[in-house]
Amino acid sequence: MSRVTNKTEKRIRRHKRIRAKIKGTAVIPRLAVFRSNKYIYAQLVDDVSGTTIASVSSLAKKGEKKKITAKAVGSQIAERAKSAKIKKVVFDRSGFLYAGKIKAVAEGAREGGLDF
């Protein structure tokens, strides 16, 4: 087997490894975070029924610093989780390293009251 040198392929391999270990339910959903170059997305997923409970993105926030926007996305997803009566989640970083914007989303969600 050849070595994987592409950055995206490495992330996808990490993501598959992570998803093999974690699973979201209706009581404790999976907080999936995706980061593109411009925006950041977060959603609460129930893997048992295959549905998205709540989702938030940074599409509306233009011109702000990316880490500040990511933290705001984390606090917004925490608010939506509270309205859905969810307190505990499983964090899915989607193969991205736990640093920068991904860490800011996690901190915003924790400050918003989510437990993971």
Side-chain angles (χ1 to χ4, degrees):
M1 189 168 152
S2 65
R3 278 189 195 262
V4 178
T5 57
N6 188 354
K7 195 184 249 189
T8 307
E9 290 175 2
K10 286 182 179 179
R11 184 191 73 79
I12 291 170
R13 287 181 72 182
R14 280 193 304 267
H15 181 56
K16 286 180 181 177
R17 214 170 36 238
I18 292 166
R19 288 287 288 121
K21 296 174 185 174
I22 64 172
K23 187 176 183 181
T25 62
V27 179
I28 303 173
R30 175 170 54 98
L31 174 57
V33 179
F34 178 75
R35 172 181 65 84
S36 71
N37 287 337
K38 280 186 167 184
Y39 305 109
I40 192 148
Y41 308 87
Q43 60 182 355
L44 295 173
V45 181
D46 176 9
D47 290 319
V48 176
S49 65
T51 57
T52 300
I53 299 166
S55 65
V56 177
S57 71
S58 65
L59 293 171
K61 298 181 188 299
K62 291 192 176 188
E64 292 185 23
K65 300 254 182 197
K66 291 182 181 177
K67 276 191 185 178
I68 295 168
T69 306
K71 197 165 190 175
V73 165
S75 61
Q76 284 178 343
I77 198 73
E79 288 174 17
R80 298 225 178 138
K82 277 185 185 176
S83 66
K85 295 180 178 142
I86 295 168
K87 294 179 182 172
K88 193 169 184 177
V89 295
V90 179
F91 191 69
D92 178 11
R93 58 189 174 91
S94 300
F96 296 105
L97 298 178
Y98 187 80
K101 292 180 271 185
I102 302 295
K103 186 176 179 180
V105 170
E107 288 172 353
R110 282 190 183 108
E111 288 174 8
L114 284 181
D115 183 32
F116 55 94

